Amino acid sequence: MTSRRTRERLIERLMDQGICNFQVVSAIRETPRHIFLDEALAHRAYEDDALPIGFNQTLSQPYTVARMSELLLSYGPRRRVLEIGTGSGYQTAVLAQLVERVYSMERIEPLLDKARQRLRLLKHENVFLRHADGAIGWEEAGPFDGILSAAAPEQIPPRLLEQLAPGGVLITPLGGDEQHLVMVYRDPETGEYDMQEIEPARFVPLVRGVLR
């Protein structure tokens, strides 16, 4: 169930759904999604579904990971990317193959510990992890030319907008019961923010504080 053929079927489904960025497709293909799940669920790793990882969190649907990654690169290559919600580490591993540096934050320490082990196994040395409240961002590592959130705030935290560099792109689900994936672009000349609604989405809510 984790064979190359099974992975290729997933890639075919993603491309059928409109994912066309070659770098993103290649990163999804090369990332062993089964290692980001508990053994009991590993046989479902290459289904295009979100799957539970504990603590009321999920491993994002591959289409969602691919779509958000593609949007992140839509204004060109990204050097420094902040990820809000490391979770299992799967999206982090995909990003590590697409950008120069990934700064990833997770509020639930046991999830972060597991993600750290998996990313170390994959030898992604351009990833930096922090146990912290993602809504405050990572000011000393910024500004970021890309920010990606795997959890949905009802409003974009102001501190994340402040840490988005001019010319930067922020990708996040937004809303409560009804959510949409949005892309925010910061104009490099005026510094103003332009928000574009992309498509309906369903993510866990962005929760404040940390859990040990």
Side-chain angles (χ1 to χ4, degrees), residues 59-78:
L59 171 64
S60 292
Q61 179 186 5
Y63 168 78
T64 301
V65 170
R67 183 71 170 124
M68 293 178 76
S69 300
E70 195 169 65
L71 288 168
L72 191 73
L73 301 178
S74 59
Y75 283 89
R78 304 289 98 181

Side-chain angles (χ1 to χ4, degrees), residues 79-113:
R79 293 183 61 249
R80 302 171 75 85
V81 170
L82 176 65
E83 180 189 26
I84 308 302
T86 314
S88 69
Y90 176 63
Q91 171 80 78
T92 320
V94 171
L95 288 174
Q97 299 168 72
L98 299 172
V99 306
E100 286 188 24
R101 292 189 172 199
V102 182
Y103 296 84
S104 187
M105 306 178 71
E106 173 56 55
R107 62 176 293 272
I108 303 172
E109 193 169 35
L111 289 182
L112 187 66
D113 290 342

Side-chain angles (χ1 to χ4, degrees), residues 52-205:
I53 57 172
F55 298 92
N56 295 315
Q57 305 296 301
T58 58
L59 171 64
S60 292
Q61 179 186 5
Y63 168 78
T64 301
V65 170
R67 183 71 170 124
M68 293 178 76
S69 300
E70 195 169 65
L71 288 168
L72 191 73
L73 301 178
S74 59
Y75 283 89
R78 304 289 98 181
R79 293 183 61 249
R80 302 171 75 85
V81 170
L82 176 65
E83 180 189 26
I84 308 302
T86 314
S88 69
Y90 176 63
Q91 171 80 78
T92 320
V94 171
L95 288 174
Q97 299 168 72
L98 299 172
V99 306
E100 286 188 24
R101 292 189 172 199
V102 182
Y103 296 84
S104 187
M105 306 178 71
E106 173 56 55
R107 62 176 293 272
I108 303 172
E109 193 169 35
L111 289 182
L112 187 66
D113 290 342
K114 283 188 177 181
R116 182 177 283 109
Q117 293 170 14
R118 293 158 176 158
L119 293 164
R120 190 176 293 140
L121 180 68
L122 295 175
K123 295 181 168 58
H124 289 313
E125 296 180 357
N126 61 335
V127 172
F128 305 88
L129 303 176
R130 172 175 279 189
H131 176 229
D133 181 341
I136 66 173
W138 196 333
E139 188 173 5
E140 60 269 36
F144 303 98
D145 58 4
I147 298 177
L148 185 151
S149 178
E154 298 209 7
Q155 294 184 330
I156 299 174
R159 291 177 73 172
L160 296 185
L161 291 173
E162 291 167 7
Q163 291 171 39
L164 185 65
V169 181
L170 183 151
I171 312 296
T172 184
L174 196 63
D177 293 335
E178 187 175 314
Q179 298 176 4
H180 283 84
L181 189 63
V182 302
M183 176 168 64
V184 178
Y185 176 68
R186 189 171 189 186
D187 189 284
E189 296 182 2
T190 67
E192 294 182 356
Y193 303 93
D194 176 60
M195 186 167 75
Q196 179 183 352
E197 193 174 285
I198 304 298
E199 60 191 51
R202 186 167 184 82
F203 284 74
V204 297

Side-chain angles (χ1 to χ4, degrees), residues 19-41:
I19 302 300
C20 57
N21 183 296
F22 174 78
Q23 289 177 287
V24 171
V25 169
S26 179
I28 296 282
R29 177 184 282 117
E30 296 305 318
T31 304
R33 191 171 185 249
H34 59 279
I35 75 167
F36 296 92
L37 290 163
D38 290 338
E39 190 174 345
L41 285 171

